[in-house]
Amino acid sequence: MRLAHLPATGPLGRPPRGAGRTTGRRPAAALVCALATVAALATAPPAPAATGRTAAATAADEASTVEVSVNAGVGLGTIDKAAFGVNHALWDSQMNDPEVTGLLSEAGVGVMRYPGGSYGDIYHWKNHTAPGGYVAPGTTFDEFMGSVRASDSQPMIIANYGTGTPQEAADWVRYANVTREYGAKYWEIGNEIYGNGHYGGGWEADDHPDKSPREYARNVVAYAEAMKAVDPTIKIGAVLTTPGDWPDGIVGPGDSADWNHTVLSAVAGTIDFAIVHSYPGGATADEALDRTARLPGQLREVRRQIDRYAGERSSKIGIALTEVNSNVQMNSRPNGLFAADTYMTALENGVFNVDWWNVHNGPTEVGTVDGDTDFNDFGLLSSGGCVGDVCQPAVNTPFHPYFGIKSLTKLGRPGDTMVASSTDSDQVSAHAVHRADGTLSVMLINKDPLHSRTADISYAGYTPTAQAPVVHRYGRGDTDVTQVPATAGGDQVLPPYSITTITVSPHAAAASVGAPGAPKTTAVGSSTATVSWTAPAKGKAVRYEVFERLGANAQLLATSTSTSATLHNLPPGSEHTVNVLARDADGRLSRPSEPLAFATTAPRDSSCLVNYRVDSGWGNGFVATVTVTNVGDTPVNGWTLDFTWPSTGQSVQSSWNANVTGSGTRVHVTDNGANAELAPRGGSTATFGIVGANDGANPTPTTFALNGTVCRTA
């Protein structure tokens, strides 16, 4: 939960000793004291202010054309009914205003989270109190649920872990779903509980004497048992840290592992979803917008961790991003681009729900970004507060992030299929959705504040008609998401700092067969994997084709006339994402299945063994120990070890007991002379250490080659 700025960080991104986050559990004073409507600021925007991107502009930025690739045959998943969400908070007396409910409905919001971040760990629903915090009138659970129902959305509820009990949570489930028949499906056990002081930063209320992750995990199981005894259909979520963000990787006092590994090892058989939050920060909103590129790796690492502990049950555990905001220049236009880009990036990478922090919050400081007044207010809508003699526009006036989220209604809706897309420019993001009605929409986000682009879009697996597309835009000068004429000549112009969505219709009839069911692995080896799926619910398939995703492209791995296939010649220890498509009697391909991600194993019969262990971490850095063993029958005299970092943000900073060099994601290690000899059959080992840095997630390398031989891993 964020209510104000985070404290300055110490070395390596750790909070200063003895300091927690200044978010606390109270709203900004301006929100509590000044929620009356105030006069709107002047609406005529001044000339755009210079940004960090201005100074960084290069000759490449001047290029007028961006190549966009869309592949409708590569599926990234179906947009969930819970995909687009927001956070409400108890201090917000406008929470249930009909105007607010209407605005959120227009923006396609399908989930409302309650009772508000860290307030979830001090809120007692029976008497509607939050000791130590402010509770505004008109914010009771029933009043909140009235807005949820009025907007045809659903709640995401935080059960009080910090100062509550499993019985209190179970009673809430009974009241909500038995007494009132609200059908509340999603229940989180606490908010950011890792912020309870166990790692040094303390902003989250937690009355448990033991504040360790193992105690949290023990209680998650107890909460889940009590709550599901009342309603077994509910979904229970457990709090995880976001890979690469504090306190990820830190082993607390008395612990044997960091938060995520400790919690998941105990609750993977119980929970229905994992909860992460993202506030990438930076000096400017532009920097935060660039950091969206870290999100796929972070989410992939969450899935790896779930896979490790949940095994076959992993596919039943979802991931929810229940708080997100840039945490800087939050009412600005670039933060509006950040909102659209982050929601879709998260959804495309396996998240079923994203919730913006938050609807109303309050101003903290006044600045100017891109010619607009920025109040550094987490809210989507104005609270009408003031900083000194500078006041926000009238209460409920939407800020730029609101329109960023609303733009998503022109891209896709729940039930639509997200498909692969990419561009050749790091200044333009692309997202694509194959809609249920057969049309295909492409959202292009031009993050450059100075230069327009002309989008040259190529389609694979989909042939648009020759008629002009339908184009929607949110850019400078627009007061809402607006339909605009398609650019003459076919290619669409993308103005600076804009969100443009282009929707085309299909040239030919769709396949007569529906998408196959979600695939799963039934066997995985070091170089093969067997995949199975269910037949489409619609039509008859004459053949199935299994494609591997390669960015916005795909390669055919296997064909089958049955509902399974074995994939051959896969590299040991490698990760793959595949879709299955059905072909009908006329040769037309169906929509892609849900994606399946899996990793092959290390070879079991190798003559070498490598153990890679992270000894300590601090969010953006780590220390690892690597042990190399010769388990073959022949001595090794002089060795090299090669491996690849799974994430582009990982790197070697220093090392000992070996000569370690890196180029990009590739790492090359040679013995130091003293440890050059490796006796056969495990008679001796070579151990060396690495101090590394990680910008984002810090996944474990999966493939190591000793003198060219791929090793087993431990």
Side-chain angles (χ1 to χ4, degrees), residues 633-650:
D633 296 326
T634 305
V636 171
N637 188 1
W639 55 266
T640 64
L641 185 73
D642 293 282
F643 65 91
T644 301
W645 295 117
S647 171
T648 57
Q650 294 171 290

Side-chain angles (χ1 to χ4, degrees), residues 186-235:
Y186 297 108
W187 296 78
E188 302 179 48
I189 309 304
N191 186 55
E192 296 169 352
I193 300 300
Y194 47 79
N196 60 7
H198 185 66
Y199 298 103
W203 64 88
E204 199 76 12
D206 185 359
D207 287 349
H208 298 84
D210 182 353
K211 294 178 171 52
S212 68
R214 62 181 175 275
E215 177 69 2
Y216 173 70
R218 186 187 69 78
N219 276 284
V220 166
V221 174
Y223 271 70
E225 289 177 352
M227 295 164 75
K228 287 197 172 186
V230 176
D231 182 355
T233 69
I234 64 171
K235 303 295 184 183

Side-chain angles (χ1 to χ4, degrees), residues 162-397:
T163 61
T165 65
Q167 187 59 54
E168 181 182 22
D171 290 344
W172 198 355
V173 173
R174 180 176 291 106
Y175 178 78
N177 291 355
V178 178
T179 303
R180 301 292 292 176
E181 298 183 345
Y182 287 142
K185 181 178 181 181
Y186 297 108
W187 296 78
E188 302 179 48
I189 309 304
N191 186 55
E192 296 169 352
I193 300 300
Y194 47 79
N196 60 7
H198 185 66
Y199 298 103
W203 64 88
E204 199 76 12
D206 185 359
D207 287 349
H208 298 84
D210 182 353
K211 294 178 171 52
S212 68
R214 62 181 175 275
E215 177 69 2
Y216 173 70
R218 186 187 69 78
N219 276 284
V220 166
V221 174
Y223 271 70
E225 289 177 352
M227 295 164 75
K228 287 197 172 186
V230 176
D231 182 355
T233 69
I234 64 171
K235 303 295 184 183
I236 297 292
V239 173
L240 298 183
T241 65
T242 303
D245 290 350
W246 187 93
D248 175 56
I250 298 175
V251 178
D255 297 339
S256 60
D258 67 2
W259 180 276
N260 284 8
H261 291 85
T262 303
V263 171
L264 283 171
S265 66
V267 307
T270 300
I271 63 172
D272 302 291
F273 63 103
I275 302 151
V276 291
H277 292 171
S278 180
Y279 293 87
T284 65
D286 279 305
E287 287 190 16
L289 182 56
D290 288 338
R291 293 182 182 183
T292 299
R294 299 170 52 195
L295 199 52
Q298 292 175 312
L299 295 172
R300 181 67 190 117
E301 180 61 11
V302 173
R303 177 52 62 187
R304 288 188 190 101
Q305 293 171 358
I306 295 172
D307 288 345
R308 173 178 177 180
Y309 294 105
E312 293 183 357
R313 192 175 181 272
S314 179
S315 62
K316 298 179 180 179
I317 300 176
I319 303 173
L321 184 59
T322 60
E323 287 186 24
V324 66
N325 199 312
S326 72
N327 200 38
V328 59
Q329 297 179 337
M330 291 171 288
N331 314 125
S332 67
R333 186 176 300 279
N335 206 32
L337 307 186
F338 170 88
D341 204 21
T342 298
Y343 269 71
M344 290 310 303
T345 299
L347 295 172
E348 291 163 350
N349 285 276
V351 166
F352 74 89
N353 161 252
V354 184
D355 302 321
W356 189 260
W357 182 266
N358 58 349
V359 176
H360 294 102
N361 204 92
T364 57
E365 62 183 6
V366 177
T368 301
V369 182
D370 193 44
D372 296 328
T373 301
D374 177 70
F375 296 91
N376 213 40
D377 181 341
F378 283 100
L380 286 174
L381 309 177
S382 171
S383 67
C386 304
V387 176
D389 58 357
V390 180
C391 293
Q392 293 182 323
V395 173
N396 295 331
T397 299

Side-chain angles (χ1 to χ4, degrees), residues 525-686:
S526 61
S527 61
T528 63
T530 300
V531 179
S532 65
W533 55 90
T534 57
K538 169 193 170 186
K540 179 177 176 58
V542 298
R543 187 169 77 248
Y544 297 97
E545 300 180 7
V546 183
F547 289 88
E548 179 176 17
R549 178 187 175 189
L550 301 172
N553 297 313
Q555 66 174 350
L556 181 65
L557 293 185
T559 62
S560 176
T561 56
S562 68
T563 54
S564 68
T566 299
L567 315 178
H568 297 278
N569 301 317
L570 305 175
S574 57
E575 294 186 336
H576 305 269
T577 301
V578 300
N579 297 102
V580 182
L581 288 80
R583 200 175 284 277
D584 66 14
D586 295 323
R588 296 172 299 192
L589 280 172
S590 71
R591 290 172 183 255
S593 70
E594 295 290 304
L596 167 68
F598 67 91
T600 55
T601 64
R604 294 182 175 86
D605 56 353
S606 177
S607 60
C608 55
L609 174 68
V610 173
N611 180 26
Y612 177 97
R613 183 185 74 244
V614 174
D615 301 306
S616 62
W618 47 88
N620 60 358
F622 62 97
V623 176
T625 299
V626 184
T627 302
V628 183
T629 306
N630 173 20
V631 294
D633 296 326
T634 305
V636 171
N637 188 1
W639 55 266
T640 64
L641 185 73
D642 293 282
F643 65 91
T644 301
W645 295 117
S647 171
T648 57
Q650 294 171 290
S651 61
V652 176
Q653 301 298 297
S654 61
S655 62
W656 64 95
N657 287 351
N659 304 305
V660 183
T661 58
S663 177
T665 59
R666 301 181 68 85
V667 180
H668 182 70
V669 187
T670 60
D671 65 75
N672 67 355
N675 58 4
E677 295 186 8
L678 297 175
R681 295 179 290 278
S684 63
T685 61

